[in-house]
Every structure is written in structure tokens, then in C-alpha cells.
Amino acid sequence: MPACLDPILGIDDLLTGANFASGCSGYDPITATSNRDLALSLTGDQFEMFNGYAKRSKQYTIDSYMDLLITFGSGFLELLLLVHLTFSSYFKVNTYAMSLPKDGSTTKLVPALIVFGDSIVDSGNNNYIDTVGKCNFPPYGRDFISGKPTGRYSNGKVPSDLIAEGLGIKELLPPYLDPTLQIEDLLTGVNFASGAAVYDPISAQTATVLSLTNQLELFREYKEKLTAAVGESRTSVIVSESVYLVAIGSNDITNTYYSTPFRRPHYSISSYTDLMTNLASSFLQTAGNWQELYGLGARRIIVANLPPIGCIPSQRTLAGGVLRSCVEEYNQAASLFNSKLYSEIQSLNSKLLGARIVYLDINESLVDLINNPSKPGFEIANKGCCGTGNIEVSILCNRFNPFTCPDASKYIFWDSFHPTKATYRIIVNQILPNSLDQFFKVT
């Protein structure tokens, strides 16, 4: 540990700590003054009044002098805590993301971000599977870094990228199925999400996308690759200290329940949201002898609730009547599931030793944007930018559609189902710091 007054210290030294200790110093400022050492006080001249005083033995009994030392020690610790809280509050997410040495000898406070879910967070896995649910063609990605489509269901970055960026891990979270991934990519996290994925296994069996079961299988494979590359010990640290994001469920209600004959004849919306909640709970912990997310080592988990799906442009078109109003039945279904999911997460937090599961409320933020679009500078909230914005998504949102808007920054939604990158950034900036506080807050 280098001395803080060493004039040759570089920024790399400071990032990993420095030593402020001084020989012959003490709690009592007279000790430091008489020895011309560094007092614990941040401004030693505060205690010049003590210079020239008689020895403490003539002023104090040993008991009263111990009380004095405890007072000085307590004051120093209070000041140190105040400095820490001030800086951690000011820097928020960046404080959490501050990294230690980059030589692999230690990990970051958040070494990696691991994502499971559907098209809201998919960063391109569907590019590499046989499915019609793709978006790796223009105009998707029009406002992305490269200006090219990547398989992200938006005009730019999606929440998985923005959260990785907010954690200070990396700018983009790559899809796990990308064949060009290197071990360095795996060490800082990957994305297992797949557009059109659902909680409900009955839809997962018919959809040609990565089900949650498939995503967990890939996660197991990912752990094996990490272990082969960096060993069991470091893999265990990465797995247990990473942040996990789960964002899925909209397709269960809009597609599986309301648009197909699979579930609605057999379930009320109340019993179906019970089923969804049970499936979410099983995915987060351990189902019987089958290891799910917690059983595989995840300890810091963020679970997103459902957005106001009745206000998504496609649902307005399909079920909102001539005026394309928000479909309150769908919004109430989402709210019903959200309340059950919240209660289940609280229950899991009390049962799963060493885990912290955070409920991420994206619903409220998106509702506020839809109801008050002009507040952050949007102009259009009831349709998407791509095509007519009323029904186009995936293959219907393509370069041959002449109605695509020229400026997506005016729109809350990019296509008829997914928000624009500007909307995503506003929501992530609003809700991420508080979510991370629940992992790292000082108690």
C-alpha cells in the first residue's frame, strides 16, 4: 500500500488505495503537534490552541483522558463517514461501478451484467436462430452507434446496453449466441434474452425462439466456459457478484392470453397471472431438483415488471376501438400481475439466503411518459415511428415501408411494440440508481 504523500504516485495507484498513516501520530492532536506528524484531523491548525499546553497528565486522570481519546476517535469516524456518504450519494451509479485493477487479479464491485428476457432487452440472439422474429435489417438500428441493424428491437440501444453502461461495465451487452465473442466478453457479462420469449411454457413450445429454459441452459454453458477459462474460484465470484436482469412477460398477456386459444378458455386473467407469477418464482429460485437462477449462483437479481401493455401502439390498434385508446383491460391485467410479482419477490427475499431480488418498476415511468409526452420533449405517444406506427413490428417494419418517420426522437415508441432509444434512456436513468441502491446502500 503506497504512502499518499509519495510524489511518484499515479492514478492507477490512487484507484486501488493509498496509506494516510503517520508514525507517532495519535488521536490526541497534541501528540501529532509535538511530534510534527500528521494528525487525524483534516486541518491540523484547528488544534493549535493545544500547543504549549502542559502535559496531559497534569490536566486529566487516566480515565478522563481515555474519554477524551474516545471523543476524538468518534469525531474522526463521524467525519470519515460523512465524507463517504457525501461522495457515494453524489456519484451514485458511478461509485458502484468504480473498478479495481484491470489485470484480472480482482473483480469489479459488479463484475458482469447477465440478462434474461424478451425483445425489450434482446441485443441480437434471434439473429442466430431459425425464427421469423428478427429485426436485423433497416430501419432497425438506424440511430445505433454504427447506424446499422444489430438485432436490437429499437432504433438504438436497448435497456440491457444502458444498464451495462450505467454500471460502468461496458457500453454494449453482446448477445451470447454471437459466434465472435471472446473470453473478455464473457467475463463482463452477456445477454441470453430472445425476442418473443415468454414465461408460459405452452407458448415457448410453439415459438421458435429461446425459451427461459433454453436461456438457462445457455447460462449453464456460459458458466462452464468461464470455469475452463479462469477457474472455479474466479467463476464463482463473477457469478455471485454480478447483477442479473430479468425482463419478460408482456408477450404472455398480449399474445398467449388474449391473441391465441391456448389459455383463455381455461383461465381467468386472475388465475393466468397466478400461473405467470408461479413460473416467474420458479425461474428465480429452484424448481424441485432442477436448478434455476438462484440455484445456479445468482444473488443480485433485478426483475422488471410489465409496462402498460394496453397503451402499446399495436394493442391500441387491435383492441382500442376506432379512437385507438389505451386498452384498460390489458393495463389492468399487467397491473394485476405486477402486484403479484411484487409480493412474490418480497417473499423470496425472506427465503433465499444471501440473495437480494429487486423489483424494477418500469410501468410507472412509461405511463408518465405516455400521459405527459411533451415534458421530456416527445410529440407522439400513441404510435411508433416505423411505418404507420400502428401495427408494424419485426418483418413489417422494414426499409420498404414509405411511412417511417424521419426523426424518432419525437416518438415514445419506435415500432408498434417497442420504445425508442430515447425513451429507454429516460426510463433507465430514472429507475436504475434506486435499484442499485438496494444492492449497495450503506446500512
Side-chain angles (χ1 to χ4, degrees):
M1 178 74 74
C4 69
L5 296 183
D6 188 338
I8 66 171
L9 286 189
I11 187 63
D12 289 340
D13 301 303
L14 298 179
L15 287 173
T16 54
N19 193 332
F20 295 89
S22 178
C24 296
S25 186
Y27 283 117
D28 191 335
I30 281 186
T31 305
T33 303
S34 62
N35 289 301
R36 296 181 179 179
D37 295 312
L38 298 176
L40 282 174
S41 168
L42 296 180
T43 55
D45 58 350
Q46 292 177 21
F47 296 101
E48 286 183 357
M49 66 183 77
F50 289 105
N51 288 344
Y53 276 20
K55 290 183 178 180
R56 291 299 201 194
S57 61
K58 294 182 180 180
Q59 299 172 295
Y60 296 88
T61 64
I62 188 64
D63 287 341
S64 62
Y65 187 60
M66 293 300 104
D67 290 338
L68 178 68
L69 293 182
I70 291 172
T71 299
F72 284 135
S74 176
F76 173 75
L77 293 176
E78 289 177 2
L79 182 58
L80 194 62
L81 180 59
L82 177 62
V83 170
H84 167 73
L85 291 177
T86 299
F87 274 83
S88 63
S89 175
Y90 181 79
F91 287 111
K92 286 195 175 223
V93 175
N94 290 333
T95 299
Y96 305 138
M98 195 176 296
S99 64
L100 293 173
K102 299 177 181 179
D103 61 359
S105 60
T106 58
T107 62
K108 297 181 178 181
L109 289 177
V110 180
L113 174 66
I114 309 294
V115 174
F116 301 88
D118 58 22
S119 57
I120 296 297
V121 288
D122 183 3
S123 56
N125 280 310
N126 280 13
N127 297 349
Y128 306 101
I129 60 178
D130 186 15
T131 178
V132 296
K134 296 181 186 290
C135 58
N136 55 345
F137 43 80
Y140 285 99
R142 188 179 70 183
D143 302 309
F144 194 65
I145 298 169
S146 62
K148 298 179 180 179
T150 60
R152 289 168 169 83
Y153 286 80
S154 189
N155 60 315
K157 291 182 178 180
V158 293
S160 47
D161 301 311
L162 298 173
I163 293 174
E165 179 184 325
L167 287 167
I169 297 174
K170 51 190 174 185
E171 187 176 9
L172 301 173
L173 193 71
Y176 177 71
L177 294 183
D178 184 346
T180 67
L181 288 188
Q182 303 298 311
I183 186 60
E184 291 78 10
D185 300 305
L186 301 182
L187 291 173
T188 51
V190 290
N191 194 334
F192 297 98
S194 177
V198 288
Y199 279 120
D200 192 339
I202 198 169
S203 292
Q205 292 169 4
T206 57
T208 53
V209 297
L210 299 177
S211 67
L212 281 181
T213 298
N214 296 145
Q215 293 179 35
L216 274 179
E217 289 171 353
L218 293 175
F219 178 60
R220 292 185 182 91
E221 180 183 277
Y222 162 80
K223 286 182 60 179
E224 292 173 358
K225 289 181 179 179
L226 281 186
T227 301
V230 299
E232 290 188 6
S233 179
R234 190 175 176 195
T235 296
S236 177
V237 170
I238 292 172
V239 169
S240 64
E241 296 186 0
S242 292
V243 166
Y244 295 77
L245 172 66
V246 180
I248 194 171
S250 295
N251 295 311
D252 291 274
I253 293 178
T254 59
N255 296 337
T256 305
Y257 188 77
Y258 282 113
S259 300
T260 71
F262 297 137
R263 293 299 193 187
R264 201 170 182 184
H266 310 290
Y267 290 84
S268 67
I269 191 60
S270 178
S271 59
Y272 188 65
T273 51
D274 284 340
L275 174 66
M276 289 176 61
T277 303
N278 291 335
L279 292 168
S281 180
S282 295
F283 175 77
L284 293 173
Q285 48 178 325
T286 302
N289 296 323
W290 188 250
Q291 286 186 318
E292 304 290 337
L293 201 53
Y294 176 81
L296 291 171
R299 293 298 179 267
R300 297 169 172 174
I301 308 171
I302 299 174
V303 183
N305 67 3
L306 298 189
I309 54 180
C311 293
I312 292 171
S314 62
Q315 305 311 304
R316 287 175 180 259
T317 301
L318 294 171
V322 176
L323 298 179
R324 297 187 62 254
S325 303
C326 288
V327 187
E328 286 309 311
E329 181 182 354
Y330 293 8
N331 284 344
Q332 290 170 11
S335 295
L336 183 60
F337 171 73
N338 290 345
S339 64
K340 293 176 180 180
L341 178 67
Y342 178 84
S343 297
E344 184 63 22
I345 286 174
Q346 302 315 304
S347 175
L348 291 177
N349 275 324
S350 67
K351 294 191 300 185
L352 300 181
L353 183 65
R356 180 61 181 162
I357 305 176
V358 175
Y359 175 84
L360 189 69
D361 187 4
I362 63 174
N363 186 290
E364 183 178 353
S365 296
L366 188 52
V367 166
D368 183 55
L369 288 177
I370 292 171
N371 290 336
N372 305 283
S374 62
K375 187 165 62 175
F378 293 119
E379 297 179 9
I380 301 172
N382 65 350
K383 63 180 183 178
C385 166
C386 189
T388 64
N390 294 330
I391 200 66
E392 294 90 340
V393 64
S394 189
I395 59 174
L396 295 180
C397 172
N398 58 63
R399 73 176 77 187
F400 304 109
N401 195 313
F403 302 107
T404 297
C405 78
D407 184 3
S409 66
K410 297 178 181 179
Y411 289 72
I412 289 177
F413 291 94
W414 163 247
D415 59 22
S416 70
F417 206 90
H418 306 97
T420 59
K421 70 168 188 175
T423 302
Y424 282 140
R425 186 170 289 280
I426 289 171
I427 293 174
V428 169
N429 287 347
Q430 285 178 348
I431 62 181
L432 181 61
N434 180 61
S435 298
L436 294 179
D437 280 344
Q438 296 184 58
F439 289 130
F440 307 111
K441 63 185 177 182
V442 178
T443 57

